[in-house]
Every structure is written in C-alpha cells, then in structure tokens.
Amino acid sequence: MAKATSSAPPAGSHAAAPINQSLTPDDKIGLYRLMSRIRRFEQVSLQHYQGGKMAGFLHLYIGQESVAVGTISLLGENDHVITAYRDHAHALAVGMGMDECMAELFGKATGCSKGKGGSMHYFEPSKNYWGGHGIVAGQTPLGLGLAYGLKFKKLKGAALCYLGDGAVNQGAFHESLNLAALWSLPVIYIIENNGYSMGTSQSRSSAYPSCLAERAAGYDMDWELFSGEDIYEVRARTQVAIERAHTLSRPAVLEIATYRWEGHSVADANKEKYRTKEEVERFKNEHDPIQRWKRVLIEEGIASEEDLKKIDKEAQKEAEASGDFAKASPYPTPESIFEDVYWEVDNKTDAGQTGRHFFND
Amino acid sequence: MPRRLSYRHALREAFDEELARDPMVVLMGEEVAQYNGAYKVTEGLWDKWGDDRIVDTPISEAGFIGMGIGASMLGVRPVMELMFWSFYTVAWDQIVNNAAMVRYMSGGKINCPIVIRGPANGGTGVGATHSHTPENILANFPGMKCVCPSNAYDAKGLMKAAIRDNDPVMFMESTKLYGEEWDVPSNDELPDGELFIPLGVADVKREGSDITLIAHGRAVITCLKAAEILEAEHGISAEVVDIRTIRPLDEETILESVAKTHRAIYVEENKPFCGVGAQIAYMIQSTIFDELDAPVLRINSLDAPAIYSPPLEAIQLPTPEVVVEKALSIC
Ligand SMILES: Cc1ncc(C[n+]2csc(CCOP(=O)(O)OP(=O)(O)O)c2C)c(N)n1
Ligand SMILES: [Mg+2]
C-alpha cells in the first residue's frame, strides 16, 4: 500500500464535493474494482463471441465505464435503474454477478433472464434494475413509469434512465420529457453521449442549441452537460440531480460526454470507416476513465500501481471463471419456451388455468 | 324488476369498485378526469376519487401508455384509456415490446398488471383512422390478453377480472354499445356479493340445435338478431356463442356447441385476413372434423379500410341479414 498523502483536494474541485469527501479509501478502490471488472467481463465476453459461443449482437461499453459506475454508486434503496441494450455495465454496477450475466450471453438457463433475453435484455428487479431494452428509446417511458410509481407510492427515490445520443431523437423520449416536467416526476434521464449512433455522428443526426441536454429547457426541465471521464465529476454533478429528485421530485436531463472504443456492436462492419483510427487511439490513450481513476488513486496515495494490477488480475480471473461457468451451464429446456409468458399461468392461478393461453396446433 | 344498466355505467361501476378495493388502481388517459371521459365512461370518478386516482394525460399515447407499463412493473395497477383503440398504433412499441415482452425477456422476474382499454369499433362515421378493431393483432402476441365484451353485464364482470389480472390485458369496448342497457344485478342481489367473470370463459347467449353462430363484441348482438330471424322466418334454431375473451380462449364451449349443431359460422366486425374467425375455424376443423356437416364459414367486415359514407359504412360491417343468408347457405 502506498503512503497516503495529506494534501486536501482544492476547494471547489469535484473531489472536494461532499458526496466525494464521504468516500472512504475502500469505497474508492471499490469503484476501481467495479470498472475493472466491467472491462474484463466485456473483454472476455468478446473472446467468447468471437469463439462462436453466442448469437446476435454484443454491444460493448468499453471506454464508458465511469458513467455507469459513477452514477450508480450514488443510488440508495428506492433508486432505480433502466437502460438500453448497452447494458452489461449497469448490470454489474447494480451488483449483478458475472456468472449470470455471462451465462445470459451464452443463452444458458443459468443466465439472469434464464437465457430468454440475451445481451440486450438483462433484468434484475430485486436490485432495482429494470433492463436492458432493445428498442432505441423504448425504455424512456418505462423510466418515467418507475418514477411515477415512486411518487404514487410516496417513496423518496429516483429513476435513472439511460439513453444514447441517437435515442434523443425518438418521439417517445420527448413525450416522456413533457410528462416528467408536467407532473414533476423524479426521473433523471442520462444521455450517454458517445458521439455516435451506430455510424452516424451527433452532428449528422441531431439539431440542437448548445448540446442535446439543452433540449430539456424546452420542457422547463433542469439539464446539465459534463464530461464522464472523471468519476468525481460524474458523482458530484449527478448527485445534484438526485438530490433534487429526492427532495423536490424534480426530473432532469444529464448529458455525459463519453466514448466507446469498440464498434457499435461486435458486428459493426464499418467501425473503422465513420471515425478515424487517430480519434479512437486518442480516446484510448488520453481519455481512458479507468486509467484516469487509477492516477487519482495513486496520487491520493490510496493504492499503488501494484495494488491495482492485482485487482485487474482478480477481475480477469473472475471474468474467465464466469466464461467457464457459462460454458458448463445447461441450455434451457424446450418446455421452458412456454414459461414466463403469463404470470397467471406460471403461478397456476385460477385465471392461469382458465381458457387456452397457447396456440400451438 | 332486475336493474337495467348501460354498458358505460357498468364499466364505471367496475372501476369504482376496483378503485375502492385496491389503492394501487389508477385510471389514466386523455380527458378521463375533469372532462368526465370522451365517452363519459369515467363520469363522476374524478369528483369522487380525486387527482391521485383519476389522471388526465396529455395527448402522448406512447409516453403515457409506456409510463403506465413502467409503473405497473413497480406494482401500480394502471387502467389506461385510449380514447379510441385506433390510436394503439401510436403506442404500439410500448404495448408490444414492453408490456407483452418484458416478463419473458426477464425470465419471469417482471410482470405488468396493466389494463389498456377503450372503444374499438367501426360503424360510427369517423372514417378509417378511428374505426380500427385490432383484437386479432393484439391476440397474436403471447404475453398479451384480449377481452371484447358484447354487453353491459359482461363488461362489468370482465373489467373486474382484467384489473385483478397480473398480466397485461387489452380491453376492447364499443361506442355503439356504451348507451345500450342490459340487466345487470347490483352486488346485493348476487350470491358472491359482486359481479366477476373470469377471463377465458365463453358464454352461450342463446341455445339452439341447427347451427352455431360464434362471435365476439358487438357481432354477438348481430348474431342474436340473426338467430331470431332464422327462427321466425326459416324455422332454423341457431345457438349463439359469445367467446368474450379472445386470449385466453374458451375452446370447449365452442366445440361442445358445434358438436351438437354440426354447423358453424364465425361472425366478427374485424377484417377477414388472419382474423379471429380464421383461428377458430381452424381450431374447429382440426379438432372435430367428423362432427361437421358443412364447412365452417365466417363473416367479417368487408375487406377494405373503414369507409366513411354512412349508407356504405352500414353494409361494410356484418348485418343480421348477411348472417341469415350465410346460415341458409349451409342449413
Ligand atoms: C427503434 C429502433 N431503431 C433502430 C434500432 C437499431 N439500432 C440499435 S442501436 C442504434 C444506434 C443508437 O445509438 P445511441 O442512441 O447513440 O446509443 P449507443 O449505441 O451509442 O449507446 C440503432 C440505430 C433499434 N434497436 N431500435
Ligand atoms: Mg451513441
């Protein structure tokens, strides 16, 4: 363990924000560990994807880890999370295990959705995690509904609803913004702006005043734009919105600038065409949120390079083990195709046993 | 004298009773609260239950239907009105991909106890955009349930079952029926103290021995009229089976009736291609082929978008005369 330095963060810096001052050294290392685990999980999943172990899409979050980890680290008992299809990081950040997440990619019965959802459709309501949604912006009214439910039940909480910079152009999102502001619902929309929706850059897809979040002004809603690179900043600025949601039931739109290193999905055939190699390299080399946090931990004397390498190694091991777990797990049985369609049928209630529910012949 | 109640008031009674029974029930939609409902189905409920339980929404079907689905995942029990079911297209992604799929994709971890309701019928001079009958389309999605009551009694009992159901229920009413009255006993006249009709149970609305007319929604009324004509003018005894819910479906009642009469026609105000009747005709022939003395026929609305011109609109939907004619062709 490196020797702790005594210098306090400069006043007014994000590190000095009360929400960050309340972090213990262990908490800070925990944030590092989580980001490292997310990255290793996805790197290992990519290997298995390339090894033909899974079907469909695999949308990687590599490069964006500080956004999910920073924002979700602020959440309490009655705060909820819902996101789009780039959902692995949010799942691990709310505390889902690598095993069930990896097994879901493999389509195994031990997956978090029993192999019925796949990469884009992770869910864990017991951890306030409501997916994992494959239709661009389709989750934005649902996030609003979670906030409605909180307010209706008189619970002090917020719903964090993530979406991409391409999703902001869907009508359902705009309808949600209007309803959120009109009814003062505690939903916080977090635009994870990685600059591209598939191969379309922000400037080719959106008309906007100074930034995408400023559109919220048209709905008389609070908004913010900030960089997602530094966890301190993500936490400090998101906390303001969470507090407003908790105490005033006010919604917000936060636009967090970030960057994805990989293609839109692993199947992105054009990933080297719509942006330059130099651009990608620059973000990898100069704006890696994990490296950035690593420097903070070392500068603050909380951990040494070696301590952090050890964490990376453990994360790698855990991710590889989750691959083994997924490989060894059974596929769902053919009978299970008809499970989890109707609550009433699954629970063998009178309603579930009255009338024919499935029409297979 | 049994109590007479209109279809709309029967629905309102169901809402009122469910609002009283379960504090998680919320009614929501365009003009449902202060305006008392575009078709007065929710009249007086806002006065009684207030802003928390009866909620006026902006004209944002994707936004508020999706919001209701999200709230239902957290245990709220929203009853959402589409001013016309025709506007389902605007909220379609939320209904299909969220309400009907989220339970499956989450491996059973989530359920959506939501009711989406409103009128779904043609015949009122509002043109093609406002005359859609999407019950066959909705029922095509496993995960969804679909209910089409033909009268006030069923509307009340089925609405109560729909609200208590833990899966998403699409409930389709008819503006043509809202003002019509039926016998609907009050709760103190009923042995169970309430009117409750489980989903998935068909009802024989008229007994007969020569032919079975099967239908849902307002087409049941058409069939009952046709049955009277068949009896009076042709000496043919027609049985009328009201399936009441499209999914889940009570196949036994249909099959029992057809096995008795040996002839069947499905009548619906829906379009023919892959309509509800197509499914049921298939089911009948594949199950009791030997019982049939004639091919199973069907009658639908004429296969074009709903026409506006009033005299033509009247013949686009099945009439008792068309049903009689078709019945005579196989009896
Ligand atoms: C309604 C809909 N249209 C198109 C797609 C295909 N699609 C999936 S992701 C995507 C790009 C979205 O980009 P963005 O919102 O910026 O999120 P990011 O992938 O960058 O996280 C597209 C076009 C879809 N899934 N849903
Ligand atoms: Mg993007």
Side-chain angles (χ1 to χ4, degrees):
Chain A
M1 186 59 67
K3 161 166 81 76
T5 55
S6 56
S7 64
S13 72
H14 295 298
I19 193 71
N20 288 328
Q21 285 295 297
S22 69
L23 288 171
T24 66
D26 274 353
D27 292 338
K28 294 183 188 181
I29 291 172
L31 293 172
Y32 181 88
R33 177 174 287 114
L34 186 51
M35 287 199 288
S36 177
R37 288 176 63 236
I38 291 167
R39 186 163 295 181
R40 305 298 157 145
F41 173 85
E42 289 206 312
Q43 286 168 338
V44 169
S45 73
L46 174 58
Q47 288 165 7
H48 289 300
Y49 186 95
Q50 287 162 340
K53 294 285 182 219
M54 50 191 88
F57 297 129
L58 185 70
H59 303 92
L60 299 177
Y61 195 73
I62 294 174
Q64 306 185 197
E65 294 89 344
S66 50
V67 179
V69 169
T71 51
I72 290 171
S73 68
L74 299 163
L75 303 188
E77 191 190 347
N78 289 315
D79 297 316
H80 295 262
V81 172
I82 185 164
T83 186
Y85 44 83
R86 203 176 294 285
D87 60 351
H88 311 149
H90 308 75
L92 294 174
V94 300
M96 289 169 69
M98 281 196 197
D99 281 356
E100 73 242 37
C101 288
M102 189 66 81
E104 187 62 30
L105 301 179
F106 281 59
K108 297 298 181 79
T110 52
C112 55
S113 299
K114 302 186 193 162
K116 290 177 166 171
S119 160
M120 302 191 284
H121 307 118
Y122 283 7
F123 295 88
E124 192 46 85
S126 71
K127 297 195 184 306
N128 293 1
Y129 183 58
W130 300 93
H133 293 267
I135 300 296
V136 168
Q139 78 280 14
T140 55
L142 297 182
L144 184 71
L146 294 170
Y148 185 93
L150 287 169
K151 192 170 182 183
F152 185 79
K153 293 178 160 181
K154 301 193 165 50
L155 296 169
K156 187 170 170 173
L160 267 56
C161 180
Y162 300 80
L163 65 154
D165 50 289
V168 300
N169 296 320
Q170 286 280 28
F173 175 54
H174 287 263
E175 294 186 24
S176 302
L177 292 184
N178 179 57
L179 287 160
L182 181 71
W183 291 343
S184 201
L185 298 178
V187 60
I188 299 170
Y189 287 106
I190 296 180
I191 303 170
E192 300 184 281
N193 188 344
N194 56 17
Y196 297 87
S197 48
M198 279 187 75
T200 306
S201 66
Q202 178 181 336
S203 61
R204 290 204 301 123
S205 60
S206 292
Y208 50 91
S210 68
C211 67
L212 298 174
E214 194 184 351
R215 288 179 177 180
Y219 299 100
D220 192 22
M221 199 194 280
D222 299 314
W223 61 273
E224 288 275 0
L225 165 71
F226 52 91
S227 160
E229 203 175 314
D230 171 21
I231 285 222
Y232 278 146
E233 178 166 8
V234 171
R235 282 173 48 89
R237 301 188 70 169
T238 306
Q239 179 61 19
V240 176
I242 292 178
E243 237 158 68
R244 262 195 318 251
H246 283 181
T247 55
L248 305 171
S249 190
R250 277 249 297 276
V253 177
L254 309 181
E255 177 178 348
I256 307 185
T258 184
Y259 198 82
R260 74 168 147 74
W261 293 7
E262 301 296 327
H264 166 68
S265 74
V266 178
D268 182 350
N270 293 325
K271 68 176 178 185
E272 282 164 4
K273 290 196 182 140
Y274 54 82
R275 52 186 194 180
T276 62
K277 242 198 180 105
E278 291 71 39
E279 178 182 304
V280 180
E281 286 307 309
R282 182 160 53 81
F283 275 95
K284 283 188 180 177
N285 297 330
E286 297 167 28
H287 301 281
D288 178 353
I290 299 187
Q291 288 304 320
R292 167 115 181 210
W293 190 239
K294 183 181 198 168
R295 285 199 298 276
V296 169
L297 295 185
I298 292 172
E299 272 164 29
E300 289 187 11
I302 285 172
S304 68
E305 183 99 37
E306 258 142 61
D307 296 333
L308 300 176
K309 261 202 193 117
K310 197 170 147 235
I311 289 174
D312 292 340
K313 267 201 192 123
E314 286 164 2
Q316 178 70 23
K317 255 200 179 146
E318 185 190 357
E320 284 169 9
S322 75
D324 296 339
F325 170 82
K327 253 187 255 174
S329 289
Y331 284 106
T333 60
E335 300 80 65
S336 75
I337 289 174
F338 303 107
E339 291 161 8
D340 307 315
V341 180
Y342 293 103
W343 187 96
E344 301 283 358
V345 173
D346 295 334
N347 287 281
K348 302 191 169 59
T349 61
D350 286 347
Q353 292 171 308
T354 306
R356 183 169 174 189
H357 286 76
F358 297 96
F359 298 82
N360 289 301
D361 55 348
Chain B
M1 255 281 278
R3 187 177 68 141
R4 300 286 287 177
L5 203 61
S6 70
Y7 192 102
R8 68 158 58 79
H9 289 154
L11 286 169
R12 187 180 61 186
E13 251 185 27
F15 300 143
D16 192 40
E17 289 174 22
E18 292 305 295
L19 283 158
R21 188 188 57 79
D22 183 349
M24 285 294 122
V25 173
V26 188
L27 258 58
M28 211 181 278
E30 293 157 20
E31 311 291 1
V32 299
Q34 301 193 26
Y35 190 88
N36 275 321
Y39 288 100
K40 301 273 175 284
V41 175
T42 53
E43 191 169 18
L45 293 176
W46 179 68
D47 283 338
K48 177 168 177 186
W49 293 101
D51 285 334
D52 281 356
R53 310 293 298 284
I54 316 291
V55 183
D56 278 327
T57 67
I59 308 158
S60 294
E61 285 82 1
F64 76 74
I65 294 284
M67 187 192 77
I69 296 164
S72 78
M73 303 191 311
L74 262 197
V76 181
R77 303 186 81 91
V79 180
M80 317 290 294
E81 174 169 312
L82 286 170
M83 191 181 279
F84 287 79
W85 250 108
S86 282
F87 308 151
Y88 77 101
T89 45
V90 180
W92 194 221
D93 173 51
Q94 295 299 318
I95 296 172
V96 171
N97 282 312
N98 291 340
M101 304 290 131
V102 78
R103 176 169 185 76
Y104 199 69
M105 293 196 306
S106 67
K109 286 176 177 165
I110 297 175
N111 65 299
C112 294
I114 191 172
V115 176
I116 303 175
R117 55 157 288 268
N121 59 282
T124 56
V126 289
T129 57
H130 285 56
S131 302
H132 292 295
T133 50
E135 58 268 28
N136 60 325
I137 298 172
L138 291 158
N140 188 254
F141 292 91
M144 218 126 50
K145 297 182 178 179
C146 184
V147 184
C148 296
S150 67
N151 64 87
Y153 181 92
D154 289 350
K156 180 175 177 187
L158 291 167
M159 179 56 81
K160 290 175 63 109
I163 294 173
R164 291 183 209 177
D165 201 279
N166 285 304
D167 295 305
V169 181
M170 311 297 125
F171 198 97
M172 323 194 81
E173 305 155 14
S174 168
T175 56
K176 299 274 268 188
L177 300 178
Y178 278 150
E180 297 206 20
E181 293 188 346
W182 280 266
D183 288 353
V184 183
S186 60
N187 286 342
D188 50 24
E189 297 172 84
L190 291 161
D192 298 335
E194 69 167 346
L195 178 49
F196 181 92
I197 302 172
L199 308 186
V201 181
D203 187 38
V204 178
K205 287 280 191 289
R206 183 187 203 274
E207 298 211 1
S209 52
D210 299 330
I211 184 170
T212 301
L213 304 174
I214 316 156
H216 66 268
R218 199 174 74 99
V220 172
I221 311 298
T222 309
C223 289
L224 288 169
K225 286 183 188 148
E228 273 169 34
I229 301 172
L230 284 167
E231 179 99 75
E233 298 177 15
H234 305 280
I236 290 170
S237 162
E239 178 145 308
V240 177
V241 175
D242 179 352
I243 67 168
R244 299 202 286 204
T245 65
I246 315 285
R247 187 172 187 150
L249 177 66
D250 175 359
E251 294 184 335
E252 275 156 39
T253 302
I254 298 170
L255 293 172
E256 239 167 63
S257 174
V258 179
K260 179 177 78 177
T261 63
H262 311 294
R263 289 175 174 82
I265 304 179
Y266 199 91
V267 185
E268 61 185 317
E269 298 192 348
N270 205 340
K271 305 291 182 214
F273 198 94
C274 295
V276 177
Q279 170 67 28
I280 290 182
Y282 167 78
M283 184 271 292
I284 294 170
Q285 62 81 31
S286 69
T287 321
I288 52 166
F289 187 72
D290 288 343
E291 293 286 358
L292 290 172
D293 286 346
V296 179
L297 302 182
R298 60 191 183 134
I299 300 170
N300 294 73
S301 111
L302 300 182
D303 198 15
I307 192 167
Y308 164 69
S309 177
L312 295 186
E313 187 188 38
I315 60 164
Q316 188 166 24
L317 298 177
T319 59
E321 292 68 35
V322 171
V323 178
V324 168
E325 198 184 308
K326 211 141 223 177
L328 292 177
S329 78
I330 52 168
C331 282

